[in-house]
Amino acid sequence: MSMSVAGGTTVVGAGEIAPYDAFKLHEGYSPDSKGKRKGPTELTAVDEHITHNEGMAIDDLEERPFFVKIDPRDGVVGALKKLDEQLQAKGEASILSKKEPITWVGEEITPGQVGLINHGGLPKLLLRPGRYPGMPLRNWIAREYLGTKTLSETVIEFQGLVIVQVSQNQAAVVADPQNNVFVIKNGGFVALSLVGSYNILAVIDQTHLSTVVKDKVTGATLGWTQEVKMTRNTGRGGGDREFVVALFLNIPANNCAILQKGNDFIIIRAGQHYVVDPSVTLRGMFTFGENQLEMSTKDIYTRDQVPVQLTIYLKWQLVEPLKLTTHGYATAYEAYVSLSLPPSFLLFVDSRLCF
């Protein structure tokens, strides 16, 4: 099992990306320009420092204190034991309870569950199945039993202990103690927030994003997006404010999205992607498929006062969406009506009149 994590990266996903030099730079580019730019740069992709397919390795995060990757061979229990060893090596309190289970009385924990104990504000875990009796058979001074959780749950948060594990279709957006945001896909981790808390901002179903993006002219679905926000206190007078920290994109086949980073435009092909770089914004979504628009005119009267109504069928196909974005158009129809772009950005335009 491989796990993808992105922190400080821009776009992560399995989308098909065109070659770097498929479109060589910006409008007005020529071999004699020697790299000089006159306007916004048009790129079909950018180098690997901006677009990634897998993101930052989870092993890089394991250098953080009290942060352990969930190994698929050991599961959550193995990761909790490794975390407990780290804590004891640093002189901190253990998170695994030393209580022994019995079979005839007490709170029951079945295989696949973990028991939760609040021990003076710190977490204590019961990992062994069985029954755990109360007072006076066991010492429960300064301890409170708070029930069980299933080890396969996506997120478990308890007294500063965080357990996250997501499936192939999920993505967990996490803010670390320094408010840096990273995304976990296809894996998980356990952490104890002794040096700062890990906040699970959202768990996203990447195939069912919340916002539908439609072509406002044809009504065709261009894709889906979903923003993830983080609420933080901004100090005196500011109060709690929400900040967008991640943007998820789901682009259907034969469609694309245009992102902007600084003065550069980036075209992202079909697939599931996410953006965590605040300097990158979504400019629009487009389709490479055929589009058709039907327009009816008002009644036109002949010399003999006979009303005639016309129906116009307009069909087109977009081949260069970057040109639309560079000139500030949201749809190919707007650009065609204004006639400010050369017809090269469309593969064909077919119009018919019907009486």
Side-chain angles (χ1 to χ4, degrees):
M1 179 185 295
S2 62
M3 174 155 58
S4 300
V5 181
T9 59
T10 303
V11 180
V12 180
E16 179 183 340
I17 304 295
Y20 177 71
D21 55 354
F23 287 92
K24 268 294 188 184
L25 293 182
H26 53 83
E27 58 172 342
Y29 172 84
S30 68
D32 299 330
S33 63
K34 297 182 180 180
K36 296 180 179 179
R37 304 190 204 181
K38 297 180 181 179
T41 303
E42 295 180 5
L43 301 175
T44 55
V46 288
D47 61 35
E48 61 182 2
H49 296 293
I50 296 181
T51 58
H52 304 263
N53 285 329
E54 295 184 357
M56 185 173 58
I58 185 66
D59 295 334
D60 296 338
L61 294 173
E62 285 194 291
E63 298 179 359
R64 304 175 179 217
F66 314 127
F67 185 102
V68 178
K69 170 188 174 181
I70 297 177
D71 192 314
R73 295 169 296 182
D74 302 328
V76 176
V77 173
L80 289 171
K81 291 180 179 178
K82 291 179 182 178
L83 177 60
D84 189 66
E85 292 173 359
Q86 289 185 11
L87 290 167
Q88 295 188 61
K90 295 292 185 180
E92 301 290 345
S94 172
I95 61 171
L96 301 183
S97 175
K98 295 181 174 60
K99 295 183 183 299
E100 295 290 336
I102 59 176
T103 59
W104 52 279
V105 69
E107 300 287 350
E108 183 180 79
I109 296 177
T110 60
Q113 292 183 328
V114 56
L116 308 178
I117 300 174
N118 178 1
H119 188 179
L122 295 175
K124 285 284 187 180
L125 305 179
L126 302 172
L127 297 180
R128 298 178 60 185
R131 290 182 177 273
Y132 292 85
M135 296 282 283
L137 299 179
R138 292 290 187 272
N139 178 18
W140 285 91
I141 297 176
R143 298 170 177 86
E144 181 184 6
Y145 179 75
L146 297 178
T148 62
K149 292 284 188 179
T150 304
L151 287 172
S152 60
E153 291 189 17
T154 299
V155 176
I156 298 175
E157 294 180 287
F158 175 67
Q159 301 296 118
L161 177 67
V162 178
I163 303 174
V164 179
Q165 49 185 345
V166 290
S167 64
Q168 293 90 335
N169 193 44
Q170 295 176 318
V173 184
V174 185
D176 71 2
Q178 289 75 42
N179 285 334
N180 296 318
V181 175
F182 58 91
V183 177
I184 297 288
K185 297 177 64 177
N186 197 28
F189 68 90
V190 298
L192 187 62
S193 305
L194 291 181
V195 293
S197 61
Y198 289 86
N199 295 322
I200 313 304
L201 303 177
V203 177
I204 303 297
D205 181 353
Q206 295 186 93
T207 58
H208 297 85
L209 302 183
S210 60
T211 303
V212 181
V213 180
K214 291 181 176 290
D215 189 311
K216 63 182 182 181
V217 176
T218 65
T221 297
L222 302 177
W224 296 265
T225 68
Q226 184 168 338
E227 291 182 342
V228 177
K229 298 181 180 180
M230 176 174 65
T231 303
R232 288 292 182 268
N233 189 295
T234 56
R236 180 181 299 177
D240 291 341
R241 294 184 58 188
E242 284 190 333
F243 302 89
V244 177
V245 295
L247 172 66
F248 284 79
L249 307 173
N250 186 12
I251 308 171
N254 209 31
N255 289 8
C256 70
I258 304 294
L259 304 180
Q260 181 174 353
K261 181 177 176 65
N263 210 36
D264 296 332
F265 293 124
I266 311 158
I267 182 169
I268 304 299
R269 303 291 178 175
Q272 298 172 351
H273 312 271
Y274 56 85
V275 179
V276 294
D277 189 335
S279 65
V280 176
T281 56
L282 176 65
R283 288 295 302 271
M285 288 186 174
F286 303 94
T287 179
F288 293 110
E290 293 184 5
N291 295 271
Q292 180 171 308
L293 185 63
E294 178 181 333
M295 298 176 289
S296 299
T297 66
K298 295 181 179 180
D299 288 345
I300 302 173
Y301 291 90
T302 65
R303 181 179 300 177
D304 300 328
Q305 298 300 309
V306 177
V308 177
Q309 189 179 58
L310 302 179
T311 300
I312 303 174
Y313 295 92
L314 181 65
K315 184 185 292 185
W316 69 90
Q317 185 174 0
L318 181 65
V319 292
E320 296 186 42
L322 286 172
K323 287 189 176 180
L324 292 180
T325 308
T326 304
H327 290 80
Y329 293 106
T331 66
Y333 176 77
E334 293 179 3
Y336 178 69
V337 170
S338 69
L339 297 178
S340 63
L341 284 180
S344 61
F345 75 98
L346 295 175
L347 181 61
F348 65 86
V349 175
D350 180 25
S351 59
R352 292 178 288 116
L353 293 177
C354 295
F355 295 90

